[in-house]
Amino acid sequence: MAVQNSTEEVFTVTNQLSKETPQEERKDPVLPEKPMTAYLRFWKEHQGNIRQQSPDMGLEEVNRVVNHMWSALDHDTRNAYEEKCNAEMKAWEEEVARIRAAATSTAAPVKTQVASTPPSAQTNINPQGTVTCIRLGCNKPSVRNIEWEDEYCSNQCVVLHCDYVFREWVRDQSSKIA
């Protein structure tokens, strides 16, 4: 993904300054754990028996056997697993919505712009209420970090954004001199 900015330079994902991998979005510790899918519940119930019967079997073989058992299930049994999964998922979604609604009503307002940030790279807020990285061209969720003020998704984006802001400042200074 390449983004053209006002300095006529192209920033791409490949011109990053280090080989460090971007940080993963952290899970919210307040939210409950997502419920298991119907297949995963079936797998957890049956893989133990298969391993007891054949302790020499590796994980791939166990997965293959459970997958075969799942595909051979009769319609009623499979529906029972899926109905239970759907009920748990609905309850989980309602709980998450309740927690997020309570958090947004009591949370401080989210900062939407940084002074040194160009207008095209303002902080974006997703419909889910999460803040995305402010670096031009990056739409990843920002990572909680006190040093970054929760505005970036990785160290790479911090460096690239600072480089961009510095180049814009130098360009502005040189145009004032000329």
Side-chain angles (χ1 to χ4, degrees), residues 28 30 97-110:
D28 191 343
V30 176
R98 186 190 62 77
I99 291 171
R100 285 190 175 148
T104 56
S105 65
T106 60
V110 178

Side-chain angles (χ1 to χ4, degrees), residues 24-87:
E24 302 265 333
E25 180 183 7
R26 294 185 183 148
K27 291 183 181 177
D28 191 343
V30 176
L31 297 179
E33 190 172 318
K34 198 170 186 176
M36 289 187 280
T37 63
Y39 176 78
L40 184 57
R41 181 176 305 283
F42 179 82
W43 186 87
K44 283 188 101 171
E45 289 177 4
H46 291 87
Q47 62 90 20
N49 294 337
I50 294 169
R51 286 187 180 213
Q52 280 181 342
Q53 293 172 0
S54 305
D56 302 347
M57 236 186 228
L59 185 60
E60 280 186 34
E61 290 87 18
V62 171
N63 286 341
R64 202 172 300 129
V65 170
V66 173
N67 191 22
H68 185 13
M69 290 171 63
W70 174 255
S71 58
L73 270 182
D74 62 282
H75 186 67
D76 294 335
T77 309
R78 186 182 287 211
N79 277 348
Y81 278 102
E82 289 175 356
E83 286 174 9
K84 186 171 185 174
C85 172
N86 290 340

Side-chain angles (χ1 to χ4, degrees), residues 155-171:
N155 288 336
Q156 295 163 339
C157 279
V158 173
V159 172
L160 289 172
H161 184 249
C162 290
D163 181 58
Y164 168 77
V165 170
F166 177 72
R167 288 173 192 247
E168 287 296 308
W169 178 82
V170 168
R171 184 180 215 222

